[in-house]
Amino acid sequence: MMALTPVLPDAKAGYLRSGLQQVRGWLDASTAVYLSGIEVAQRTEDIVGDVAEIGIHHGKSFLCLSLGLPADQRAVAIDVFDDQSANVDNSGRGNRPTFERNLAAYGAGDNIDILQSSSLDLEQAGFVTAGRRFRIFSIDGGHTKEITENDLWIAERTVVERGLVVLDDVLNRHWLGVISGLFGYLADGGSLVPAVLVPNKLILATSVDQAKQYRDLFAATFPTALEKADVPLAGHLVDVYAQAHWLVRGENDETGPITGHEPMATITAARLTELEGQLRTARSDLKAVQQQLRAANLPLYRKAARRMPWLARPVRPIFRRVRKVMGRPR
């Protein structure tokens, strides 16, 4: 599916087009578009606040949120970085020097705050008592049930009324602590409400009414990417958004695909002919390999009988015995 992004600040658009695939990490390209686009869409709705992320790695998703941010808003990056003893489940390995190089390489501003800490220590450090201030809070840190619950409570207490929380790996079968933590948080009375599911991330709002407004905002911002609406999840309804091939639009009117994604609409006739030729060659190679495998499947003793009968003769009784035991016909 081909889709157009909303118009994005040039720094964001440039990062998506040419930088996203260069930064190491785990982030679906479509989800990068959704994070970037909804950050901008919040501004059009006059939703004011900073952005934050727990779990940075090299900054792949943090850059989607922080690039092009208004100068009077802060972007807070939280990670244990070098203190890997606090990375209890090995769910990532933040590298601060690499992260800072990526910030500089892709044009992040001076409004970045880096906090080296386990999220389990944030409340004791006074992070929560600073008050509600985030319009987007991304959770991608430890993936255990305990840490996920902790991070959701931290986000609930620091996100502004019209803000949103993004929970990573909620349906990832390798990290079932995340969905266990989500259900534990909701069962304990957590007020965040599931609203939108994008590839590998769940977006939660601060109330049922706000969840409905975010579903409407996503529909207006990404009108061609809705895959399924009104899907029940944990007692709420969420809208599911698809993976797509995106043409990224910047404020300077430049439009182009995300590096590594080759939309069909941009493939020339010559390129299509080249791909068809590669497919024919691959099929021919496969056929040759199949013939070799069939030839190799000829029993070894038959080859020996033909090529070296004086060596094959003594082992024939053994093969006959093996075939008899296995119930195979002589």
Side-chain angles (χ1 to χ4, degrees), residues 120-178:
L120 297 175
D121 299 330
L122 289 176
E123 184 167 7
Q124 185 177 356
F127 185 83
V128 174
T129 55
R132 296 181 181 274
R133 57 200 183 278
F134 300 114
R135 58 184 172 96
I136 299 180
F137 199 122
S138 173
I139 298 173
D140 191 9
H143 283 35
T144 67
K145 179 179 184 292
E146 176 194 17
I147 295 176
T148 300
E149 287 189 47
N150 172 82
D151 294 355
L152 284 167
W153 285 113
I154 293 289
E156 176 190 309
R157 295 165 66 184
T158 57
V159 72
V160 300
E161 181 181 356
R162 299 172 64 200
L164 60 82
V165 174
V166 183
L167 180 61
D168 185 64
D169 279 330
V170 70
L171 296 180
N172 190 325
R173 69 185 187 278
H174 298 293
W175 300 108
L176 296 179
V178 176

Side-chain angles (χ1 to χ4, degrees), residues 254-266:
E254 183 179 350
T255 301
I258 296 174
T259 301
H261 288 234
E262 189 173 15
M264 286 299 296
T266 67

Side-chain angles (χ1 to χ4, degrees), residues 305-318:
R306 288 201 305 266
R307 299 179 183 179
M308 297 175 289
W310 63 91
L311 292 178
R313 190 175 300 113
V315 300
R316 282 175 179 163
I318 298 174

